Amino acid sequence: MLSVHPSIDPRVAAIAPGFRAISIVVEAAPIVDLGISAQALERAYRVVEAGTATWAEAHMAAWGDAFRKFGVKPQRNPCSAEALLKRVKKDGKLPTIDPVVDLYNAISIQYAIPVGGENLTAYVGVPRLTIADGSEEFDTFKSGELANDPPDAGEVIWRDDRGVTCRRWNWRQGVRTRLDAHAKQMWFILESLPEMPIEALTAAADDLMAGLSQMMPGAAITRELVEG
């Protein structure tokens, strides 16, 4: 079974003390139930409509504080979970993208937690959360063309040996490692700050793993708690 042990730069602890995450690795199997992600999204929408957990607002505020510490205005560049929640509260739902992406977005909305999904086959080396020096490459689209948009020095990034895979911690994913349902090896990272109870983090991981298992029976899935 494939294993991944993402590394956390000790300098990140100064920005977000108590950061912890659950890393999930999937050896994929054929998708047999495309309805799983739609069901998960509907559950998430009901949670948002009824009111997210009592700690959710504090969790989003804590992410905003962490972003400010490395020079990012969260009003302009919010963490991924806050961006999704704002869109759902405004439009009532999200556009469908891909069965796997829709599933992990649903978990992000339901639990008010940033969730990243990556095509692990595209990785070069081990995922690591670190501080950018500004020289790293980050592939994105600008005006419909593939372009390099390097991070700012001091920015928190996820990266591998080749370059940045996600800018501003969990704000924008790169093109190279972008995940879809055709990926053979998948990696998910569910990122939390102390304002989110560990029981909720565990429940979010449980639901994501259950959804993946139902969507693709036969997939081999492992998990690991990662702490900064």
Side-chain angles (χ1 to χ4, degrees), residues 38-59:
Q39 295 168 20
L41 281 170
E42 288 302 322
R43 285 195 300 272
Y45 299 152
R46 289 195 295 270
V47 168
V48 173
E49 185 176 1
T52 50
T54 55
W55 47 262
E57 186 174 344
H59 194 219

Side-chain angles (χ1 to χ4, degrees), residues 12-125:
V12 173
I15 295 171
F19 170 74
R20 58 197 177 196
I22 291 181
S23 170
I24 296 174
V25 178
V26 180
E27 290 275 10
I31 292 178
V32 300
D33 191 343
L34 294 173
I36 295 298
S37 55
Q39 295 168 20
L41 281 170
E42 288 302 322
R43 285 195 300 272
Y45 299 152
R46 289 195 295 270
V47 168
V48 173
E49 185 176 1
T52 50
T54 55
W55 47 262
E57 186 174 344
H59 194 219
M60 293 298 91
W63 275 108
D65 291 342
F67 275 35
R68 290 186 190 94
K69 287 181 181 178
F70 61 89
V72 172
K73 295 180 179 180
Q75 296 87 349
R76 178 176 296 178
N77 302 130
C79 79
S80 61
E82 186 171 359
L84 290 174
L85 283 164
K86 285 180 176 179
R87 191 163 186 178
V88 171
K89 290 175 181 177
K90 177 184 176 183
D91 300 333
K93 62 180 182 179
L94 300 175
T96 57
I97 300 172
D98 172 274
V100 175
V101 176
D102 292 345
L103 176 61
Y104 77 75
N105 279 346
I107 299 300
S108 179
I109 296 164
Q110 180 175 344
Y111 287 94
I113 181 174
V115 181
E118 302 275 0
N119 180 352
L120 193 56
T121 308
Y123 263 77
V124 181

